[in-house]
Structure formats: structure tokens, C-alpha cells
Amino acid sequence: MEMLTPEEGRTAVRLARSAIGKTLSGERAALPALPAVFREKRGVFVTIKRQGRLRGCIGLPYPTRPLADAIVEAAVSAALEDPRFPPVSPQELPDIDLEVTVLTEPRSLDCPPEGRPGCVEVGKHGLIVSGLGAGGLLLPQVPAEYGWTSREFLDQTCVKAGLSPGCWKRDDVAVLTFEGQIFDEKAV
């Protein structure tokens, strides 16, 4: 899977902001002409922060839609449908910062459950934990922001899934890793 160029990353962030802005003003978000990479199916997450604090984060972890469509859907969902927060208001738009994380395809960890901490690289991998009727995901930047070890990262992904810490040690709990290319609006 090809990485996006810095300019394509800036385009991804502008597309996310435009989708949120148009939706909040009642307009339909029409896609502009975009580079070919935006037609490739990719997983993506859009994170919204206000004054450095999380304000919304939703995405599509698997490559089921073209990147442009996935960015628009994730951006609008993060702004309006994250159940942890009230919808972003039009008045807030100038005060929010966006981050677009383009994902590689998730892959199962190729090690026995007890070896999983040694197979997870903090700062590189994102995690998906699923099993026991639940699932959760944390992006690669999360453990680095909190200073977690790989073991803490695994535990916290279990917690995010609504499972108990340490459930990653079980054979009937799947752990997948992915990588993410992060484009931060403040940095572009």
C-alpha cells in the first residue's frame, strides 16, 4: 500500500474540514477533483480536538470505501455522531483542529497470546481487539501520547472494547495491528 505524499495529506485534511463545514452549514459535501490515491480503498480515522482535548474521533478501520468517501464519512461522523460528545456546532468550527489518520490494512499478530506484548511496537502499531462479543480500536498515536508500554496498550485496547484488561492473553480474543499515516491540520 502506497503512502500518501505530504501534499496528499494536506488535501486529506482540507477535505475533512470542508466536509464538516459544508455539513454544518446544510450544504451537500461534493468531492473536488482529487489525486488517484483518493480512489483507492483505505481505512481512515478523523480525530477532532478543541484546545488540545479530544472532541470526536470516528473512522473506518478496514479498506471498504475509496479514501475520499471514507474521509468525508469519518469527518462528518466524528463531528456529529461520536456518542461521547455533543455534535460540533458551527460556532466551534474555527476552534477545532483536525487529524486524519490513513490506515494500512489490519493484520493478525503472528505470535501466541503470551508473546503479544513483544510483537506490538508502541508508536508504530495501532490495535484492534475483538472477541467475547466485543471489539475496540486504538490508533497508533494513542499509546505514545500517554507513554504506555506495549502491555498497557494491549490492556487499554481491551478496556476500549469493553473487555477486562489482560483479555489479550486469551486464545479466543483476536489482536490485529495496523499502521497509520497521520496528517495533523496544525502541522500542514
Side-chain angles (χ1 to χ4, degrees):
M1 184 173 295
E2 257 184 70
M3 301 293 271
L4 274 67
T5 66
E7 181 54 38
E8 290 166 342
R10 287 188 284 277
T11 299
V13 172
R14 285 192 300 268
L15 179 60
R17 179 162 290 276
S18 173
I20 293 169
K22 286 182 187 262
T23 300
L24 291 178
S25 68
E27 297 176 49
R28 186 172 178 274
L31 292 177
L34 295 166
V37 71
F38 287 88
R39 291 187 292 278
E40 294 175 12
K41 290 182 178 179
R42 300 280 184 106
V44 67
F45 269 74
V46 174
T47 303
I48 301 172
K49 292 186 178 178
R50 184 171 185 208
Q51 299 172 339
R53 300 183 68 160
L54 184 64
R55 183 64 180 81
C57 182
I58 290 186
L60 293 84
Y62 296 95
T64 58
R65 306 198 50 194
L67 180 58
D69 295 337
I71 290 170
V72 169
E73 181 178 330
V76 171
S77 294
L80 301 178
E81 298 172 12
D82 189 324
R84 300 169 292 180
F85 304 98
V88 171
S89 70
Q91 296 77 19
E92 283 181 280
L93 200 53
D95 298 326
I96 62 172
D97 295 306
L98 302 179
E99 186 177 89
V100 174
T101 306
V102 180
L103 311 181
T104 62
E105 191 159 354
R107 301 192 185 287
S108 293
L109 275 181
D110 190 23
C111 61
E114 64 275 2
R116 288 173 174 166
C119 296
V120 172
E121 193 174 325
V122 170
K124 177 181 179 182
H125 292 135
L127 294 178
I128 299 172
V129 169
S130 61
L132 309 173
L137 176 149
L138 287 174
L139 294 171
Q141 53 270 45
V142 172
E145 288 174 9
Y146 289 98
W148 293 338
T149 64
S150 60
R151 194 175 213 82
E152 291 169 319
F153 187 20
L154 284 157
D155 282 341
Q156 290 302 317
T157 309
C158 292
V159 170
K160 176 84 184 277
L163 300 168
S164 61
C167 73
W168 53 266
K169 298 173 190 170
R170 296 174 56 129
D171 285 327
D172 58 349
V173 171
V175 178
L176 290 84
T177 62
F178 59 90
E179 295 177 32
Q181 194 176 6
I182 304 161
F183 298 100
D184 186 329
E185 186 172 44
K186 292 187 291 190
V188 295

